[in-house]
Every structure is written in C-alpha cells, then in structure tokens.
Amino acid sequence: MIDKLVEPCERKAPDYVKKGYVHPVLNRINHWAHAFLIVLLLWSGFQIAFPNAKIFFGVGEAVVTHKVCGVLLLIQMPLWFIYRAVSGRMFWRCLPCPCDFFLCSWRQIKYYLFDIFVGRPHPYDPRELNPMQRITYVSLMLIVLPIAMLSGAVLMWPHAFAWLLARVPIKTVTLVHLIAAFIFLFFIGLHIYLATTGAKPWSYFKAMITGWVDKEELEEYLKHAQTSKEA
Amino acid sequence: MFALLGALVQGQGLHCLACHESVDSLKKYAVEEPEIKGPSEGGGLKGGCGGKPPPLKKWQKLRVSKAFLSGPMGQLGCVKCHGGRDTADFKLAHEGLIPDPSEPGKGREPVCAECHGDIVKHYKKSLHFTVYGQAWTLEVRSGTRGIADSGGCLYSSYRKDCYTCHASCGDCHVSRPKPVKGGLLASHQFLKKPPMKDVCGACHAARTYGEYTGNFGYPADVHWAKGLKECTYCHGADELHGMWNASDRPDSNMHLNRGPKCEDCHAKSSRSNEYHKIHWGKVQCNVCHSMPIRHCFTCHTGYFGDVEDPAKFYRYPEEQKFLFKIGYNAFRDQYHPWRYTQLRHPPNSPHTFDWFKEHYCPERAEVFPHFSALPTWKPGTGHNVQRRTPQTESCWSCHDNPKVWLTEADLKDYEREANAAVINAFRTVFPLPRWSWAKLLGLAWFGFLGLLLLHGIGTWTGRAIARRREK
C-alpha cells in the first residue's frame, strides 16, 4: 500500500509514444480547438460580466461570441471524451495514480520550487504527463469544465432550467460560473508559462504543433535518468 | 351663406338651428348635468379611467354653428340624421330624436354607413366600438362564452358597465365621447382628426393620456415633450377603425398586428448601442424606456355607494399605485415576441362586478370561477417613454435589482395563482458581478503573472549559470 503512494504507477504507453510521437493529430486538433474556444470564452465572458470594461469589441459582440463558443464547446466536449475513452489515452495517460497525490507530485513541486532554479532537468519523462499535469488535467476536464459548461448552459437557457433556478438562485449559478472562469484564467497563465520551461522556451509548443517530443528535451531527461540509475 | 340659405329654403334645420345656434335659447332650455369626476382630481390617484375634460356648460355642448351647414354634412339637414322634426315646438322637435346617429340602434345601422360603409363595417368590429377586450376577459374569467352578444346575467354587466365606455363614430369625430357626457367638439363640424385632449384624453386620461402628457408628476413622454406627436401619429386611422383582416380576433390589442411598434420608426436602432444589441427583440422597449406607470387594483366592485349615478359608482378603484415592474410576457406571440415586458395591473379582482352579481346574477356562486385563468399583471406599454430612465442608468438597474421585478411580495392573495407565469422573471436574469470584483480580479491576475515572470527569470538565470558551470 505504502509503495503505491511513493512509487509512480506503470503506464502502458503505445509504441509510437515511446518513440517520441506524443501528440497524435486528433489530440493536437482537440488541444488547439479547446484553447481557441476557452480563450474566446474567457475574453468575451469577462466583457459580459464586467460590461463597463472595454476588453472585447463590444458587449453585444461578446454575448454572441460567448454563446457560439459555448455551444461549440458543448459539442466538442463529448467528442473529446469519446476520443479519450476510445483511444485509451484517458486511462494510460491522464488518470492520476495514488502516488500522484503524494510523493510523485511533491517531486514535481520540489522541482518547480527549487530544482528548476539550479538547472536540473525535469524529474519525469517528457513523453508522459507529469503527476501535477495529470491531476490538473483531470480536475479541469472532468470537474471544473463540466461545472462551467453546465452553469453556462443554465445561464444561456435559463427557461429550460426553470426547475433548477426555482431551487438554486441564479446568483449562485453565476458565481459558480465565474469561479470556474477564474480558475481557467489562472490555469491558462500558468499553463502557458510552464510550457516555456522545457529545454528551450519553445520546446513544448513545438511538440504540441508537430506532435513529436523535443529531441533535446528527451535526451536531457534520458541522460539524467541514466545518471540517476547508475547512482 | 348660400348653403345656409339653401338649407333654409329646403326647410332642413331651420327651426333646429334657430335654437341650437342661439346661445340665449340654449341657455334657456339646456339643463346642466352633474360634474364629472376625473383622475386629475385629488393629485392624480383618485377617480376612474376617464378624464375630466375642460368643463363645458350644457348650452356649449349643444351649440351648432352656421358654418356647419355649409359643409357636406350640414347640407343633409338635421332631421336626416337625428330624426325628430324640424319644428319650433320643443317637444315635437325632439320626439324620436336620435342624439347620436352614428350609434347603431335597434334595426338601425349607424348613419355614417350610408357613405362610409367600408369603414363602418370594420369599425363595428374594432375595440373602440366593441370594447371586446373587456368582454374577452370576462368570458375567460367567468367561463361564459358570448358575453358581448347574448343575454345572461353577465351580458347585463357588460352592457351596463363595460359597453358604456365604447365609442361611436360621432364620439370621436363630432363630439366628445359619451363617457364624459359628450359636447360638440367644434359646433358640430365633422373633424377628420379628432382633437387629442378632448377625445383621446377624455377616456384614456387615467393611464395613457395622463402618462403621455406628463400629468402624474413624471415628465411627459419624449414623443410628446419633444415632438408633440399626437396619439394618431402612432395609432393611425387603420388601427383605430379596426381595418384589420376579418380573420383577426378582435378580442384584444394584444392580437392587433397592425398596432404601432417602436421598430416602425426606430428599426435602425437595433444595433445603435450595446444594450440594444443584447436585448432587442427579447426585452420590450418599455422595460428600459418607460417610467413608473399607474396601476389600479380592485375596480368595478360596487362598494362606492356615495356616488349617486349608478352608472358610475362602481368605477372607482380602491387602490392605485405608481410603480415600475418587469415580468414575463404572458401573451407572447409573433407580434409581441419579448420574453420580458413592463407590466400593468388592470383593476381586476374576484370582487369585480360584485354589484352586478348582487343585482343581476344572484344565482351564481361566484362571478369569476376561473379568475386565475388570466394574469392580473399584463404586459403594459407605459406611455411615458424616456430616453434616459432609472433602468438605463446601468446594467445593474435590472440585473441585480429585484425591486423592479414582479415577485410574490407584490401580489395579493387572490392573484397568486393567476400570475404564476408572470412573476419571478428575475430568477432567469443573471446578476452581474460588481465592478469592484473586476478590479480585484485584475489585481490578482497581474500579480500572479508577475510571480510567474519572476519565476521565469529565476529559472532561465539558474539554467544559464548551471550551463556555464558545466562548460
């Protein structure tokens, strides 16, 4: 039992991932579509929430954009889930194992808080998600985003959810939607920043465009892993 | 002069005019009537729907000018339309007199139909003539069909109460309407366009006319204050004459597809500002652009025995208020597509017509067993439109302000069920966060980005140092 909390679980990645092809086409399309929709939703959403601020092209335009992107996301999310489930990526890549909530994550946190400043390489294989990524990914995609989408759907079609709004004040629904939006806003900042912490600032961006993990990044990790093993 | 001579030669109106043109004769014979009570009395919150037009003495109401006889109508002569006899004998002259020939009588069509048949044909189905809006409400609430046409105890209520406020052709084009006891408008001249104050204002004073001209302590409607647009500017002859298709139901203005719409003039405004872009077509214009309006509660109940005239004593609401309320549009259709509308409370209550129940329908247990079949808060079109109103001050005026929305707290016990589909619309309007939240969020966000920047600087500096050491 204790072993499970301190040792990373084994993940059966397909051969193409082992070769360094970490982001297949569908994965990349999904990622960028998601990014595009979420950014537009946040941008237009904050314009709607704070109509006095001039952050979009106009409040009217923001409302239309927000609704269109919201509906597209409602369509895209089930497709994403089906793809993840059918391809198996949800299970071998994304779901955290017990260690991810304990020691494995601590290694990653320690890396970001201390090791990164002295030039040490990443503690985990760049071909896989690190424990913090797994926890964040699952939390966002399976908890925060569905909550944001559900509350957004209630706000977009309040009359279809009249039964719900008779029990839960719309103020609460709005608050939940806003908190989810804030979480995404902070996540995006963090996500983009951490994407610059590869071997080169563009290493991870390149991987999410070409699908192949950055060679230098991989070599650096393998070298480090070898050294650690020998030690 | 020649026309007058012509009329005299024909003997049409000679004797009639001898009295009706003479101030002395009229003063001698005309009997004064009791004064009309109107909403302008008592600071605007007393009285019924009707107005109190400028007082006229009875002789002024009946005076006919010589000039009238020179017009095409005058040449027809008095007897042709009014009946009676052209004689100097007062009694004989008024025998069989038809005071308003434009009012259809038993087996008699309105005299106007002889020349204006098409208009009269339609007008007889118009709301001004049928007052069918009230009849329809009575029918639905009482569960009795055909109240306006057939007998039955509620027919009496309708004829004796509602229908006395209807208008014949002459009530607009020749004299002031009967509910304010008439009075020739221009010494019997036929006016193509009725004067707004004396005609429209006579019946609609308590609400629309009073609101429009700013009689109730709120500024006059912008269309009146700045443009002096009379009622007929929006409510054209076609609408007032009921020139709609025969298939249209004449039961209520709600179904009047030719009724005026703000978009008729302001169609280009649909994208003129952010508010319009978002709310156009979903929220009635009045929701943002109307000031508080008058609401009447519990009228026509018959408990005002202090007024002598039985035709009047049940027409004073027990309670009136000036309020601004928004709610769901309970009568949503293709002509009125808005989900949210301004609301107005017509003076319905289960006690409406109690007086009639007592006198005409004692066998009925209740007058309105289906009282809750229609809301008592109906879509309203406040006629005190302003460009800037308390609602247009900011998004928060409505989006986080339950006061402007109709809620259970605004309802009386007997109308809760009737308004279930109207109230609590605020539940579906999301409250906007306060501006201070945006400031806080912005601060937190930029602070967070600052931390990431510092982390980034540390990371890349540390890596550079480590690489140099390796070399």
Side-chain angles (χ1 to χ4, degrees):
Chain A
M1 182 65 192
I2 298 289
D3 290 353
K4 278 189 179 177
L5 299 180
V6 294
E7 286 299 320
C9 49
E10 276 190 29
R11 292 177 184 272
K12 289 173 185 171
D15 287 344
Y16 64 83
V17 173
K18 286 174 189 161
K19 285 176 190 164
Y21 186 59
V22 286
H23 302 302
V25 182
L26 276 177
N27 199 44
R28 281 175 278 150
I29 291 173
N30 184 69
H31 176 270
W32 291 114
H34 235 129
F36 178 74
L37 290 176
I38 298 274
V39 166
L40 270 183
L41 279 164
L42 285 172
W43 189 9
S44 56
F46 283 112
Q47 176 66 84
I48 297 167
F50 305 109
N52 291 1
K54 302 257 180 263
I55 47 182
F56 202 73
F57 302 104
V59 184
E61 285 76 2
V63 171
V64 175
T65 307
H66 202 73
K67 286 184 174 179
V68 170
C69 291
V71 171
L72 287 175
L73 196 65
L74 281 174
I75 297 168
Q76 192 232 3
M77 270 298 282
L79 295 177
W80 161 83
F81 190 81
I82 291 166
Y83 162 66
R84 286 271 157 179
V86 170
S87 66
R89 289 178 76 84
M90 180 63 86
F91 308 103
W92 63 259
R93 189 173 170 83
C94 306
L95 288 183
C97 57
C99 173
D100 291 350
F101 294 98
F102 295 96
L103 201 62
C104 295
S105 269
W106 169 244
R107 277 184 206 131
Q108 189 65 34
I109 291 169
K110 192 168 127 293
Y111 169 74
Y112 285 132
L113 288 181
F114 306 108
D115 297 351
I116 195 169
F117 297 124
V118 291
R120 289 198 184 125
H122 282 266
Y124 292 104
D125 191 335
R127 289 168 295 188
E128 288 183 9
L129 294 180
N130 69 49
M132 279 179 70
Q133 275 178 313
R134 278 195 288 271
I135 292 174
T136 313
Y137 190 84
V138 167
S139 311
L140 284 177
M141 297 302 277
L142 297 184
I143 301 170
V144 182
L145 192 57
I147 287 176
M149 284 166 61
L150 185 68
S151 55
V154 173
L155 294 175
M156 184 154 45
W157 299 296
H159 305 96
F161 292 92
W163 54 273
L164 180 72
L165 292 173
R167 290 161 182 83
V168 182
I170 197 162
K171 223 169 189 168
T172 310
V173 179
T174 311
L175 191 68
V176 166
H177 195 67
L178 271 173
I179 290 171
F182 289 174
I183 291 172
F184 265 101
L185 187 67
F186 283 87
F187 164 74
I188 283 182
L190 189 65
H191 183 61
I192 293 173
Y193 166 66
L194 291 179
T196 63
T197 60
K200 291 273 185 311
W202 52 85
S203 297
Y204 293 142
F205 292 100
K206 214 172 104 185
M208 193 43 90
I209 292 167
T210 61
W212 289 89
V213 72
D214 187 74
K215 266 187 184 174
E216 197 181 336
E217 180 82 20
L218 186 59
E219 280 166 9
E220 204 172 275
Y221 167 76
L222 292 173
K223 194 174 131 193
H224 168 72
Q226 187 64 31
T227 320
S228 306
K229 212 174 177 183
E230 286 165 11
Chain B
M1 189 64 192
F2 287 109
L4 177 62
L5 278 174
L8 293 177
V9 168
Q10 287 174 39
Q12 292 180 338
L14 171 66
H15 294 100
C16 306
L17 204 65
C19 287
H20 278 273
E21 200 268 328
S22 160
V23 175
D24 291 337
S25 298
L26 285 171
K27 278 184 176 174
K28 189 177 170 185
Y29 292 107
V31 181
E32 288 301 328
E33 295 163 327
E35 228 182 287
I36 295 162
K37 289 192 176 182
S40 51
E41 288 176 312
L45 275 175
K46 285 183 181 173
C49 303
K52 189 184 179 189
L56 287 178
K57 295 285 181 193
K58 187 74 179 178
W59 67 266
Q60 289 173 306
K61 291 183 176 179
L62 297 172
R63 188 161 183 267
V64 179
S65 70
K66 281 180 188 168
F68 163 66
L69 289 180
S70 61
M73 302 293 186
Q75 287 182 29
L76 295 172
C78 307
V79 176
K80 163 81 178 156
C81 298
H82 286 282
R85 289 187 197 174
D86 189 11
T87 164
D89 184 286
F90 180 88
K91 272 195 174 174
L92 215 56
H94 291 90
E95 209 173 76
L97 181 84
I98 303 165
D100 181 359
S102 65
E103 185 77 69
K106 279 183 182 168
R108 180 174 56 77
E109 278 293 292
V111 71
C112 316
E114 286 183 26
C115 299
H116 304 282
D118 189 43
I119 295 176
V120 172
K121 188 181 90 184
H122 285 97
Y123 185 67
K124 281 169 73 180
K125 287 195 286 184
S126 76
L127 287 173
H128 270 102
F129 188 82
T130 61
V131 205
Y132 195 70
Q134 278 85 339
W136 179 69
T137 309
L138 285 184
E139 286 178 358
V140 176
R141 292 195 197 280
S142 68
T144 316
R145 284 195 171 190
I147 281 175
D149 315 307
S150 53
C153 67
L154 281 171
Y155 175 73
S156 310
S157 328
Y158 172 72
R159 293 298 294 192
K160 285 182 186 294
D161 195 356
C162 312
Y163 197 69
T164 53
C165 277
H166 98 131
S168 67
C169 309
D171 281 330
C172 295
H173 293 285
V174 184
S175 77
R176 302 197 297 194
K178 283 187 277 294
V180 292
K181 310 230 169 189
L184 292 166
L185 288 168
S187 305
H188 212 301
Q189 300 267 31
F190 280 71
L191 304 176
K192 185 168 183 174
K193 185 177 159 189
M196 184 172 121
K197 185 177 182 179
D198 284 340
V199 174
C200 313
C203 295
H204 298 282
R207 295 184 169 200
T208 44
Y209 177 81
E211 288 160 8
Y212 191 64
T213 53
N215 283 349
F216 299 140
Y218 292 101
D221 189 292
V222 68
H223 301 94
W224 176 247
K226 292 204 171 169
L228 284 178
K229 303 277 190 291
E230 295 203 352
C231 305
T232 47
Y233 185 84
C234 294
H235 301 280
D238 273 4
E239 181 199 347
L240 297 173
H241 289 153
M243 305 293 275
W244 55 61
N245 296 328
S247 60
D248 282 1
R249 291 166 56 191
D251 52 4
S252 159
N253 266 325
M254 296 304 301
H255 303 282
L256 185 56
N257 57 7
R258 291 195 191 189
K261 291 184 178 67
C262 305
E263 297 94 308
D264 294 344
C265 296
H266 298 284
K268 286 182 184 167
S269 302
S270 64
R271 299 193 65 76
S272 61
N273 64 45
E274 296 301 331
Y275 305 100
H276 287 174
K277 281 185 206 168
I278 298 163
H279 298 109
W280 198 270
K282 296 172 202 154
V283 177
Q284 182 203 28
C285 305
N286 291 70
V287 167
C288 295
H289 292 290
S290 182
M291 298 295 281
I293 56 171
R294 186 194 188 101
H295 305 272
C296 298
F297 303 85
T298 320
C299 194
H300 300 249
T301 52
Y303 289 116
F304 297 88
D306 59 319
V307 185
E308 285 178 6
D309 183 354
K312 287 276 177 288
F313 74 81
Y314 31 78
R315 286 196 195 143
Y316 292 91
E318 287 169 5
E319 190 186 355
Q320 297 188 35
K321 284 179 188 170
F322 279 97
L323 296 169
F324 179 82
K325 288 288 172 190
I326 312 169
Y328 283 125
N329 178 4
F331 296 89
R332 215 169 158 207
D333 61 20
Q334 57 177 317
Y335 308 117
H336 311 86
W338 328 286
R339 195 178 282 280
Y340 304 102
T341 62
Q342 183 187 15
L343 297 171
R344 193 193 291 273
H345 195 288
N348 307 118
S349 97
H351 295 294
T352 299
F353 289 150
D354 268 4
W355 186 87
F356 281 105
K357 179 185 166 305
E358 200 181 310
H359 290 82
Y360 292 90
C361 310
E363 74 283 0
R364 286 184 84 116
E366 302 180 69
V367 182
F368 301 117
H370 307 288
F371 182 76
S372 301
L374 287 175
T376 54
W377 283 89
K378 293 183 173 180
T381 46
H383 276 59
N384 51 10
V385 167
Q386 302 293 335
R387 188 186 172 98
R388 302 256 177 247
T389 65
Q391 300 88 274
T392 62
E393 268 179 25
S394 79
C395 307
W396 289 269
S397 305
C398 299
H399 276 269
D400 198 16
N401 181 14
K403 282 182 191 168
V404 297
W405 300 89
L406 189 78
T407 62
E408 281 104 345
D410 299 302
L411 301 179
K412 296 179 188 300
D413 287 339
Y414 60 75
E415 56 183 5
R416 289 188 192 286
E417 194 188 336
N419 296 292
V422 178
I423 57 167
N424 293 334
F426 73 93
R427 281 185 183 161
T428 55
V429 177
F430 70 92
L432 290 164
R434 298 280 148 185
W435 182 233
S436 52
W437 284 38
K439 288 179 188 167
L440 205 68
L441 172 71
L443 212 66
W445 167 242
F446 285 110
F448 181 66
L449 290 186
L451 279 177
L452 294 180
L453 186 69
L454 285 176
H455 192 276
I457 292 168
T459 301
W460 291 104
T461 313
R463 282 183 181 180
I465 293 168
R467 273 190 201 126
R468 194 171 288 176
R469 275 184 190 162
E470 269 182 33
K471 279 178 188 173

